[in-house]
Amino acid sequence: MAVLLFAEVTDGALNMDATAKAMTAAKMLGEVTILCAGTTAKDAADEAATLGATKVLLAEDDTLGHRLAESTADLIVSLAGDYDHIVAPATTDAKNVMPRVAALLDVMVISDASAVVDADTFERPIYAGNAVQTVKSTDAKKVITFRTSTFDPAEAGGSASVETVDVPGGAGLSDWVEDKVAASDRPELTSAGVVVSGGRGVGSEDDFKLIEALADKLGAAVGASRAAVDSGYAPNDWQVGQTGKVVAPDLYVAVGISGAIQHLAGMKDSKVIVAINKDEEAPIFQVADFGLVADLFDAVPALTSKL
C-alpha cells in the first residue's frame, strides 16, 4: 500500500509533533510519502525527511501560502493517483483541507481516526469519546485524518530524498486577507507536555491569573473548559474538550473543573490527571489519578509557591 501523508506546515515551519504522530499511524498502512506544501517549505521538507518516509514531496508556490484549503486540496488531488491512502494529522488545517480532498475524489472522509485495524478499517471516537466506532471503507482511496493524541511520535532517523513537484494553477476560489495570531511564550496547547486548565470555578478573568501563574511555574500550556471560555474568563483558543482542542499531555492539571463529558472528551487520554475541586462529588475525580478536595483559591497559590 502506498500512503501520502500531508504534513502540517505553517509559515514554512514543520509542526514536527503533529506530523510525527500521524507518521506513526501512516506507517501501519504501508510505505509513506510525505507532502510538504507552502509558499516556502524547503526547511520543513528537510526536517520531514528524517521521519522514515520513502521520500518527501516539496510543493512551493504563492497559491499554497496561508494554508488556503482550495489550492492545497487541488495539489493533493493532482498527486492522488499514485496512492491508496491520503492521510493527515487531525489539526485545524487538515480538517479544512481533507474533506475537500475527499469530495473532489468522490470518496468518504474518515475523520479523527484513533486506531488502525487494517488497511480498510479504522476506529474513531464518537459521543464525546464515550463510544468507539469501527469504520470499514470500501473506497478505492481512503482519505483519513488521525487523532494525534492517541499515537506516539515516529522516531527521527534516516534521510529520505526530497523531490520537487509541480503545483496546479490556482483556481482563484479564495484569497488570503489576514491572520490574527495570539503571541505566547507558553507551549502550544495540543503538543504541550504539561497543561493546566481552569474551569467555571475560577470565577473571573482576573482570577484566571492564578491558573496562568501555576502554568508558568510548570512550563505548561494553559487550557480552559467551555464554561470558562463562555463566561469570558479565557480566550477561545484555550478551550479543551469536544468542541475545543483534544490534548494528551504527560500531566493535565484541572482546576475548578467539574468534569462534564464534553470536557473529558478532550483530555481523558492524558497520562496523569490531577484535579483540584472543592466539590468531592465532582465527576472529574472519576478520571483523576490524583484528586485534591480543596478551595482552589487556597490550594493553587500554595502549590505555586511550593513549586
Side-chain angles (χ1 to χ4, degrees), residues 196-215:
V196 180
S197 285
R200 192 198 306 272
V202 178
S204 71
E205 184 178 3
D206 287 341
D207 286 332
F208 221 85
K209 290 181 172 58
L210 292 173
I211 307 299
E212 297 180 58
L214 176 57

Side-chain angles (χ1 to χ4, degrees), residues 91-122:
T91 59
T92 303
D93 284 350
K95 289 177 181 178
N96 190 18
V97 173
M98 299 304 274
R100 179 175 288 272
V101 171
L104 292 171
L105 294 173
D106 195 24
V107 300
M108 68 180 287
V109 61
I110 300 172
S111 60
D112 244 8
S114 56
V116 176
V117 179
D118 58 40
D120 300 322
T121 313
F122 307 88

